[in-house]
């Protein structure tokens, strides 16, 4: 077991944590105090823009391996204040370990958020109300063909939004503020006005308090996908804002090449 610094920038520090069986997962320290951890080696969802899942799912992490990422980065002299399970893997595909991890972090007074592609929906339904400090659901599309292409083994948009429409009215205002949707803008994939309008219509039907993160894409070496230019990104933001949707833009730590959606690696023992 070991940790090594892969890359550092003004905003982020990216670490490779080598596990006892020789496989490796990556963790990113955002802004010096928030650690993004991995929950699986690889991922079964198969999003084509994502380096983390490019080799499929190799195995889930154990609770000890998730905690190891915290402890290894802490041992490098970084005092952690928050954790997000948004690295390699789909957290809702490893739910028992996720729940135990959240419990341990709670005892350590570390708030935990997570990012999920939404499935299985029965677990999403359980997890939206808690126990977490924030849940971001990756949507990335407004129409079913684009969703099926970008999030191939996630739930369809119709079933995902139907679940959200059922759960959201049951949430308190405080819990609703912990929920966000994510739309990662990828050139030539989901960047048309029609696609963002279709997404916007679905979000509008959920009510005015649901937040959307519109993310800038960071290219990864495992695929050909590219970000849109600043002008296009701004136009898509404006289009959602004009509908009354609450949109948050990518912060600098996410725009940084060693941060952002789908950039972390999970490597099997043979390549580690
Ligand atoms: S984006 Fe998330 S859900 Fe999709 S393959 Fe990558 S790690 Fe899995």
């Amino acid at each position: 077991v070991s940790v090594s610094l892969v890359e550092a920038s003004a905003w982020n520090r990216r670490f490779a944590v080598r596990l006892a069986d020789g496989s490796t997962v990556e963790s990113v320290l955002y802004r010096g105090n928030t650690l993004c951890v991995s929950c699986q080696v690889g991922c079964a969802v198969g999003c084509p823009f994502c380096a983390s899942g490019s080799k499929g799912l190799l195995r889930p992490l154990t609770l000890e391996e998730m905690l190891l990422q915290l402890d290894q980065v802490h041992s490098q002299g970084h005092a952690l204040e928050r954790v997000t399970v948004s690295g390699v893997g789909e957290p809702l595909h490893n739910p028992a370990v996720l729940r135990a991890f959240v419990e341990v972090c709670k005892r350590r007074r570390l708030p935990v958020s997570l990012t999920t592609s939404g499935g299985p929906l029965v677990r999403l339904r359980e997890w939206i109300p808690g126990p977490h400090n924030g849940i971001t659901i990756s949507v990335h599309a407004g129409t079913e063909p684009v969703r099926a292409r970008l999030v191939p083994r996630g739930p369809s948009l119709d079933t995902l939004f139907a679940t959200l429409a059922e759960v959201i009215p049951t949430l308190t205002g405080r819990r609703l503020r912990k929920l966000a949707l994510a739309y990662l803008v990828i050139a030539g994939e989901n960047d048309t006005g029609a696609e963002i309008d279709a997404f916007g219509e679905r979000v509008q039907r959920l009510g005015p308090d649901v937040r959307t993160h519109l993310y800038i894409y960071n290219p990864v070496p495992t695929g050909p996908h590219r970000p849109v230019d600043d002008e296009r990104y701004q136009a898509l933001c404006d289009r959602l804002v004009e509908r009354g949707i609450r949109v948050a833009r990518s912060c600098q730590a996410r725009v940084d090449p060693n941060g952002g959606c789908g950039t972390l690696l999970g490597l099997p023992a043979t390549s580690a």
Side-chain angles (χ1 to χ4, degrees):
V1 169
S2 64
V3 64
S4 52
L5 182 65
V6 179
E7 205 182 336
S9 71
W11 298 94
N12 306 329
R13 299 173 81 78
R14 175 168 164 168
F15 297 92
V17 178
R18 190 178 158 112
L19 306 171
D21 71 347
S23 53
T24 300
V25 289
E26 290 189 328
S27 313
V28 175
L29 185 68
Y30 285 106
R31 296 178 290 266
N33 61 12
T34 302
L35 190 66
C36 173
V37 297
S38 298
C39 63
Q40 298 180 306
V41 186
C43 182
V45 182
C47 309
F49 56 83
C50 170
S52 309
S54 62
K55 293 184 196 313
L57 174 65
L58 299 160
R59 68 175 178 85
L61 294 192
T62 63
L63 171 62
E64 291 69 28
E65 288 169 332
M66 288 193 68
L67 293 170
L68 182 70
Q69 296 169 71
L70 269 55
D71 296 339
Q72 290 284 315
V73 172
H74 186 252
S75 75
Q76 301 290 300
H78 302 290
L80 304 181
E81 291 177 16
R82 278 178 296 275
V83 178
T84 181
V85 186
S86 304
V88 180
E90 166 50 64
L92 299 188
H93 288 186
N94 196 5
V97 167
L98 177 66
R99 197 165 287 276
F101 178 75
V102 171
E103 281 305 312
V104 174
C105 288
K106 212 170 162 183
R107 290 201 290 277
R108 296 185 183 182
R109 298 187 186 285
L110 281 174
V112 180
S113 59
L114 64 141
T115 301
T116 173
S117 55
L121 288 167
V122 63
R123 289 191 196 142
L124 181 69
R125 195 185 289 267
E126 282 167 24
W127 274 87
I128 288 175
H132 55 72
N133 191 47
I135 183 165
T136 301
I137 302 167
S138 300
V139 180
H140 308 331
T143 62
E144 296 290 9
V146 173
R147 169 74 178 178
R149 195 165 68 237
L150 292 182
V151 191
R153 281 177 286 283
S156 70
L157 291 180
D158 285 351
T159 59
L160 175 60
F161 277 85
T163 300
L164 290 171
E166 275 175 40
V167 176
I168 283 173
T170 69
L171 299 176
T172 61
R174 186 176 158 271
R175 289 318 299 179
L176 183 54
R177 283 193 291 279
K178 302 285 181 191
L179 172 73
L181 307 178
Y183 194 109
L184 180 67
V185 185
I186 305 173
E189 293 284 351
N190 61 359
D191 61 335
T192 62
E195 193 67 26
I196 206 85
D197 286 348
F199 169 76
E201 278 167 27
R202 290 180 188 272
V203 180
Q204 271 181 311
R205 288 199 288 270
L206 297 177
D209 296 322
V210 175
R211 291 175 303 130
T212 292
H213 293 291
L214 201 65
Y215 288 142
I216 292 171
Y217 180 65
N218 279 340
V220 294
T222 50
H225 297 92
R226 291 288 168 265
V228 294
D229 61 29
D230 291 348
E231 202 179 325
R232 186 74 198 137
Y233 178 68
Q234 187 60 45
L236 295 176
C237 281
D238 293 347
R239 217 159 165 132
L240 290 176
V241 170
E242 277 161 22
R243 286 180 175 272
I245 292 173
R246 300 172 60 191
V247 182
R249 289 147 216 254
S250 277
C251 61
Q252 194 53 47
R254 276 198 155 268
V255 176
D256 217 58
N258 64 5
C261 198
T263 55
L264 302 191
L265 293 175
L267 301 172
T270 46
S271 355

